[in-house]
């Protein structure tokens, strides 16, 4: 897995996207990751994108109206929301639907890849 540079979260949060950190020397889109895997001799089996950082996006929208932009740690809210979703059958269904749409459009927060090394 790796963050998706083409994610809706990155577009909404810009430079405040949580994946823009020193630990990520390179950020990939689905397209660039496919190209890198191909160049390294891997055959792509599956590539999908999923998830969106809804708490950070909502916080960013709220702050745009009243305060200058700054990074805010929304991870505790994200973790609590995840627990709420996992505890509800209806919310898990909504999450599955949202992840299906994010996967089809390629704009999910996370890229998940399965690839195998091609024989020479």
């Amino acid at each position: 897995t790796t963050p998706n540079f083409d994610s809706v979260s990155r577009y909404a949060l810009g430079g405040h996207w949580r994946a823009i950190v020193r630990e990520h020397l390179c950020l990939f889109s689905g397209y660039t990751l496919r190209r890198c895997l191909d160049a390294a001799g891997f055959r792509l089996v599956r590539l999908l994108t999923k998830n969106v950082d809804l708490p950070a996006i909502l916080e960013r929208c709220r702050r745009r109206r009243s305060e200058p932009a700054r990074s805010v740690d929304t991870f505790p809210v994200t973790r609590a929301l995840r627990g709420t979703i996992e505890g509800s059958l209806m919310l898990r269904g909504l999450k599955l639907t949202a992840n299906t749409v994010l996967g089809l459009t390629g704009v999910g927060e996370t890229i998940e890849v399965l690839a195998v090394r091609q024989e020479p």
Side-chain angles (χ1 to χ4, degrees), residues 85 88-100:
I85 290 169
S88 165
L89 183 61
M90 182 183 73
L91 292 177
R92 283 196 317 261
L94 286 172
K95 178 182 175 182
L96 178 62
T97 301
N99 277 334
T100 299

Side-chain angles (χ1 to χ4, degrees), residues 33-53:
L33 192 52
R34 280 185 189 95
R35 299 237 355 206
C36 288
L37 289 167
D38 186 54
F42 285 85
R43 179 178 57 83
L44 184 66
V45 175
R46 182 184 76 219
L47 184 147
L48 63 93
T49 69
K50 61 184 184 178
N51 301 329
V52 63
D53 193 350

